[in-house]
Amino acid sequence: MKIYNTLTKKKEEFVPITPGEVKMYVCGPTVYNLIHIGNARPMIVFDTVRRYFEHRGYKVNYVSNFTDVDDKIIKKAIEEGVDADVISERYIAECKKDMASLNVRPATVHPQATQEICGMLEMIQKLIDDGHAYVADDGTVYYRVRSFRDYGKLSHKNLDDLEGGKRSLLVSGEDQKEDPLDFVLWKPKKEGEPYWESPWCNGRPGWHIECSVMSKKYLGDEIDIHAGGEDLIFPHHENEIAQSEAANGKPFAHYWMHNAFLNIDNRKMSKSAGNFFTVRDIISKYDPQVLRFFMLSAHYRSPLNFSAELMEAAKNGLERILTAVSNLNFLLSKAEDREMTEEEKKLLEEAKVYTTRFDEAMDDDFNTADAIAAIFELVKFINTNTNGESSKAYLSALHEQIRELSDVCGLIVDQKEEMLDADIEKLIEERQAARKAKDFARADAIRGELLEKGIVLEDTREGVKWKRA
Ligand code: AMP
Ligand code: ZN
């Protein structure tokens, strides 16, 4: 399996720290609003990476945090006149709902920054003790960037170039830094902000230290994969490396993976420009699976453009897969339970090539675009090589194959059987007859049966109306 590593700018063979296991950390969202479709890209991409590792037999320990203390959260709390944790808890719950809609599995652990302050105090103290950090007069703790020789190794930036850029950008209040490159580990509270006690001042952590500490606590000093959107390479991930490697004395993450950005109509997503969609906006118009399928139709390192036409294309593509599986299910319900013919055995052997192609695409730095192309080839194979004569065993094997590949992509292909309108009408008539005959038990049973299938009945003056729940 090869992974493109931002650290080395190369595709490298994946060698886990512990054979058969993957320890991975994915930077999660700051929770002050409903997540937007850009935030959904890393969630879907890295959930698929996790699923593929599992498909290849690895045990994956997947940690993804919620940043629940931040200027934007505090600002929103002040606007609404509530505590910051009311805002963060609300949007964590909403984010989890969106993840479930997109079939993004919950992480092994979802740590929250505010629950991990103790570990942050410890790591900051260690950095101060070892000369990697210092305390300014007002109690702010800064990381001493020049104390870490490898600074810049992830973003491939040169310290002197960085410094040149920073000198002209020095903002007021930052003059207590020894060096413009230094960044905050702990900062004093302002009036009305949440705070924690520390040896340096009552205050709160900087953003970067949160991830270094949560990763250490749940995965250990050295991890296999650290991931997030490409905007996090600098400074967030560069700073995480400086903190973790200086404090732990070990290489931090072996592989750094970054997804490219999602744009809308070829422009950067921006609230003020009016081209901004939450996941909630999109899934009110499309099946959430279409959004997931759309995200995986491009390689995760390619910029992806969101537009109505591309979503339509994704909808049609997904439909082809769902229809093939639905046809298989129909044939399966009628198929004969007999031995496979020699011909069927031969065909199944042939069909294996699509799984091989799927795996080859995913082994090549998780090329989901090519992996989906392999699923389409399997769809075509199924459509041409199954019919009313096929045996149950043969159809089941093909069903299992396409279900397994779709499952790696997080696509649910076995849709709940929808009742046909005619069948619903027939049951409603039967219920009316039962009511007329005063057989209320039967009438209620029919109502229950329909409800189970997602059909809600309403008795109105004009007669019985029904709708899909
Ligand atoms: P944030 O809440 O801004 O820290 O973002 C959470 C995650 O979403 C990070 O991994 C970001 O890199 C990622 N992200 C934010 N905007 C986009 C976008 N437009 N396209 C892809 N990823 C994004
Ligand atoms: Zn992070």
Side-chain angles (χ1 to χ4, degrees):
M1 248 166 116
K2 285 204 156 58
I3 299 183
Y4 180 88
N5 190 351
T6 308
L7 196 61
T8 56
K9 289 183 155 179
K10 283 196 198 94
K11 274 188 205 169
E12 294 173 0
E13 189 59 35
F14 177 71
V15 184
I17 296 168
T18 311
E21 284 181 27
V22 182
K23 296 186 252 290
M24 81 186 271
Y25 185 96
V26 181
C27 288
T30 306
V31 277
Y32 64 100
N33 229 330
L34 291 176
I35 59 163
H36 57 67
I37 54 175
N39 298 138
R41 190 171 190 194
M43 286 177 184
I44 292 170
V45 161
F46 298 115
D47 176 65
T48 306
V49 166
R50 171 196 198 176
R51 286 167 183 267
Y52 185 65
F53 273 121
E54 288 178 350
H55 165 77
R56 297 301 297 256
Y58 286 93
K59 182 174 165 283
V60 184
N61 195 350
Y62 189 96
V63 177
S64 189
N65 68 296
F66 288 113
T67 296
D68 62 348
V69 55
D70 171 89
D71 288 345
K72 292 183 195 126
I73 299 173
I74 295 169
K75 183 167 170 269
K76 183 131 185 168
I78 292 170
E79 279 165 16
E80 288 196 19
V82 295
D83 285 345
D85 61 351
V86 173
I87 301 293
S88 55
E89 290 304 324
R90 181 197 302 158
Y91 290 109
I92 287 172
E94 296 298 343
C95 178
K96 286 184 175 169
K97 280 190 213 158
D98 286 336
M99 286 169 60
S101 303
L102 296 167
N103 203 22
V104 169
R105 280 170 42 205
T108 317
V109 195
H110 280 289
Q112 290 174 227
T114 56
Q115 310 301 312
E116 309 290 344
I117 301 291
C118 211
M120 296 180 207
L121 298 179
E122 272 171 33
M123 190 180 278
I124 296 172
Q125 189 60 57
K126 172 96 171 70
L127 290 169
I128 296 173
D129 293 346
D130 294 350
H132 289 292
Y134 56 95
V135 190
D137 291 342
D138 69 349
T140 307
V141 185
Y142 290 105
Y143 187 94
R144 189 176 276 129
V145 166
R146 289 212 179 253
S147 75
F148 183 65
R149 231 189 30 192
D150 285 341
Y151 195 84
K153 69 175 172 182
L154 180 71
S155 51
H156 308 281
K157 288 182 194 287
N158 172 301
L159 273 190
D160 294 321
D161 290 349
L162 276 174
E163 184 120 43
K166 278 254 180 172
R167 283 231 179 273
S168 52
L169 287 173
L170 253 191
V171 237
S172 64
E174 292 210 329
D175 41 2
Q176 43 172 4
K177 286 185 186 180
E178 287 176 4
D179 188 309
L181 288 176
D182 296 348
F183 60 87
V184 169
L185 297 174
W186 186 265
K187 58 185 162 196
K189 74 172 179 114
K190 290 195 198 116
E191 196 47 43
E193 288 187 354
Y195 69 92
W196 291 264
E197 286 175 6
S198 85
W200 320 293
C201 63
N202 287 345
R204 61 186 166 103
W207 171 36
H208 317 302
I209 195 73
E210 298 174 4
C211 288
S212 279
V213 167
M214 292 187 273
S215 178
K216 178 184 170 80
K217 174 161 171 191
Y218 294 99
L219 296 170
D221 291 351
E222 208 167 344
I223 70 171
D224 294 298
I225 299 174
H226 195 113
E230 65 183 5
D231 58 322
L232 301 186
I233 298 173
F234 187 85
H236 186 51
H237 288 164
E238 195 68 66
N239 291 353
E240 279 189 44
I241 292 178
Q243 297 163 158
S244 296
E245 298 195 354
N248 304 331
K250 288 189 190 147
F252 180 26
H254 291 197
Y255 303 86
W256 287 85
M257 294 180 71
H258 294 99
N259 64 274
F261 255 44
L262 176 80
N263 298 314
I264 297 194
D265 292 324
N266 291 311
R267 285 184 303 154
K268 194 173 172 351
M269 221 179 349
S270 127
K271 224 173 193 170
S272 52
N275 63 339
F276 177 94
F277 295 118
T278 61
V279 166
R280 222 45 83 77
D281 291 333
I282 300 308
I283 65 179
S284 68
K285 297 194 188 82
Y286 294 91
D287 177 341
Q289 292 223 89
V290 175
L291 184 58
R292 182 163 185 130
F293 185 84
F294 163 79
M295 295 280 187
L296 297 177
S297 62
H299 188 269
Y300 74 93
R301 282 189 293 113
S302 306
L304 179 57
N305 190 45
F306 182 92
S307 69
E309 296 87 76
L310 290 172
M311 280 295 280
E312 277 311 308
K315 190 174 161 198
N316 294 336
L318 179 64
E319 200 60 47
R320 266 165 64 199
I321 303 173
L322 298 182
T323 307
V325 177
S326 162
N327 289 343
L328 262 185
N329 279 334
F330 176 75
L331 291 177
L332 261 170
S333 69
K334 315 264 174 215
E336 231 186 292
D337 207 354
R338 59 162 168 80
E339 283 268 300
M340 263 194 258
T341 63
E342 285 312 307
E343 173 67 9
E344 285 178 334
K345 285 183 192 160
K346 214 173 111 233
L347 283 169
L348 276 189
E349 216 32 61
E350 258 178 55
K352 280 191 185 153
V353 71
Y354 306 115
T355 296
T356 308
R357 280 184 203 158
F358 179 94
D359 287 350
E360 278 169 1
M362 292 298 276
D363 279 348
D364 183 16
D365 190 30
F366 306 97
N367 191 336
T368 51
D370 285 0
I372 287 175
I375 298 183
F376 280 140
E377 288 181 76
L378 178 58
V379 162
K380 200 166 150 203
F381 180 92
I382 289 170
N383 291 345
T384 35
N385 294 296
T386 57
N387 57 41
E389 311 290 299
S390 310
S391 72
K392 207 169 228 168
Y394 170 71
L395 294 167
S396 297
L398 285 174
H399 182 274
E400 178 52 22
Q401 187 178 1
I402 194 160
R403 194 206 48 76
E404 191 181 1
L405 301 189
S406 305
D407 195 46
V408 174
C409 299
L411 301 170
I412 302 164
V413 286
D414 271 319
Q415 302 287 315
K416 265 194 236 126
E417 286 238 8
E418 279 232 340
M419 286 192 86
L420 297 175
D421 289 8
D423 291 335
I424 297 168
E425 301 287 354
K426 218 171 111 199
L427 276 171
I428 291 175
E429 267 170 40
E430 214 183 305
R431 176 169 169 268
Q432 293 299 80
R435 276 166 56 137
K436 223 172 176 179
K438 302 221 177 322
D439 184 356
F440 296 114
R442 174 72 191 135
D444 282 349
I446 294 175
R447 178 191 275 276
E449 189 184 325
L450 286 166
L451 192 63
E452 230 167 66
K453 304 226 151 100
I455 309 296
V456 185
L457 297 188
E458 199 188 340
D459 293 308
T460 71
R461 229 180 296 167
E462 294 79 39
V464 185
K465 285 192 178 149
W466 64 270
K467 60 174 193 238
R468 292 190 199 274

